């Protein structure tokens, strides 16, 4: 595991946005796995700025979205599909033919998504955030290291952490790439910012392969980078 402890939140964001850009510059046909959440918003904003300046060839890249809520109508503002449209696709005029969205509305969605991932020869570089309870994607505590893309029940903690985004429907379930699926990406990058993630990061640093904190299942991935801002790193002791 490579740990990058940034000097500020801005620096953490810059690091992640630049790493994505580098991947695409080095491999224009790269397949990038996208995470959503508040943590990633400034990353996509910065990535869009970098793209406007350095004009990398984006037209051959392909994107996979990590997870999606169940039961939200098309275009719902709190859906992850809408999030990625708002923060990445529209600002960069990336057509939707270049992204796969988890088919959360279809009963065979998980199998279809796995088949699509296989067809695309997997993800080259997967972006990840972390839940306050250590979840990755929507792989909640108790998930298995070898889990595949599936429908999952959200924990009360996750529902309440994301409640502010909903005024009408409050989703209880989601479709998420599994941990085994995520681990098949050639490179993984987890970004954690803010004090609310400090406990999860402390737990992550001190435990291995622990279902109580699904992010620990990533630690033995050969290319796993953890990027932290000072708040997220505030409960761990890293010598830098
Ligand atoms: C969400 C998403 C995750 C995200 C995490 C943290 O529920 N399913 O992909 O990484 O929880 O979200 P945030 O960045 O808003 O704290």
């Amino acid at each position: 595991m490579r740990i990058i402890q940034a000097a500020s939140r801005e620096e953490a964001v810059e690091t992640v946005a630049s790493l994505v850009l580098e991947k695409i510059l080095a491999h224009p046909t790269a397949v990038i796995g996208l995470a959503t959440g508040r943590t990633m918003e400034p990353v996509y904003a910065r990535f869009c700025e970098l793209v406007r300046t350095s004009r990398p060839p984006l037209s051959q890249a392909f994107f996979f979205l990590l997870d999606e809520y169940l039961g939200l109508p098309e275009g719902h503002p709190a859906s992850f599909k809408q999030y990625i449209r708002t923060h990445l696709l529209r600002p960069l005029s990336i057509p939707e033919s270049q992204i796969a969205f988890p088919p959360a509305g279809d009963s065979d969605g998980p199998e279809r998504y796995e088949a699509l991932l296989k067809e695309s020869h997997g993800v080259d570089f997967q972006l990840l955030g972390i839940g306050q309870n250590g979840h990755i994607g929507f792989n909640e505590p108790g998930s298995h290291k070898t889990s595949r893309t599936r429908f999952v029940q959200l924990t009360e903690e996750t529902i309440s952490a994301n409640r502010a985004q909903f005024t009408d429907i409050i989703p209880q379930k989601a479709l998420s790439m599994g941990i085994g699926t995520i681990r098949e990406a050639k490179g993984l990058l987890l970004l954690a910012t803010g004090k609310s993630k400090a406990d999860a990061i402390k737990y992550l640093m001190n435990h291995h392969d622990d279902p109580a904190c699904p992010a620990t299942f990533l630690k033995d991935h050969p290319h796993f980078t953890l990027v932290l801002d000072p708040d997220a790193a505030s409960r761990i002791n890293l010598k830098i």
Side-chain angles (χ1 to χ4, degrees), residues 35-39 66-67 80 129-131 135 137-138 158 162 197:
T36 56
R38 284 145 289 196
T39 310
L66 181 64
D67 50 8
F80 292 160
I130 186 169
H135 75 224
F138 270 135
T158 298
N162 294 334
K197 303 295 167 67

Side-chain angles (χ1 to χ4, degrees), residues 21-222:
L21 183 73
E22 274 171 31
K23 290 283 163 201
I24 293 175
L25 284 170
H27 302 285
T29 58
V31 177
I32 310 286
L34 301 173
T36 56
R38 284 145 289 196
T39 310
M40 291 296 162
E41 283 181 24
V43 172
Y44 295 132
R46 184 64 188 134
F47 178 72
C48 290
E49 283 174 8
L50 292 174
V51 165
R52 286 188 195 108
T53 323
S54 58
R55 306 210 160 272
L58 276 184
S59 62
Q60 291 170 274
F62 194 80
F63 302 91
F64 274 90
L65 189 55
L66 181 64
D67 50 8
E68 182 59 278
Y69 288 115
L70 234 77
L72 297 182
E74 170 66 27
H76 190 287
S79 71
F80 292 160
K81 186 179 196 176
Q82 205 59 21
Y83 171 108
I84 221 71
R85 281 174 174 149
T86 304
H87 296 288
L88 188 72
L89 304 183
R90 285 182 187 148
L92 295 179
S93 303
I94 296 172
E96 292 195 7
S97 54
Q98 276 180 252
I99 184 167
F101 295 110
D106 302 339
S107 57
D108 64 347
E111 295 72 33
R112 281 181 35 219
Y113 212 48
E114 285 278 342
L116 205 57
L117 280 158
K118 214 174 187 171
E119 245 172 65
S120 309
H121 305 291
V123 170
D124 293 308
F125 193 60
Q126 177 68 53
L127 289 177
L128 296 163
I130 186 169
Q132 290 172 31
N133 61 2
H135 75 224
I136 48 164
F138 270 135
N139 293 281
E140 297 279 34
S143 298
H144 294 278
K145 187 171 186 175
T146 54
S147 55
R148 309 303 304 182
T149 302
R150 68 205 184 288
F151 292 115
V152 291
Q153 177 70 46
L154 305 179
T155 60
E156 278 309 317
E157 198 179 356
T158 298
I159 293 169
S160 89
N162 294 334
R163 195 170 221 115
Q165 292 150 38
F166 297 97
T167 49
D168 43 6
I169 313 158
I170 298 169
Q172 313 282 316
K173 290 186 177 172
L175 192 162
S176 180
M177 281 191 202
I179 297 167
T181 317
I182 292 168
R183 281 175 51 84
E184 281 172 8
K186 294 178 191 78
L188 303 175
L189 190 154
L190 191 156
L191 170 66
T193 59
K195 278 247 183 307
S196 67
K197 303 295 167 67
D199 286 339
I201 295 302
K202 183 178 179 195
Y203 199 98
L204 171 64
M205 297 305 293
N206 293 321
H207 297 78
H208 296 271
D209 281 355
D210 184 343
C213 175
T216 59
F217 289 131
L218 307 180
K219 289 173 75 174
D220 64 352
H221 187 285

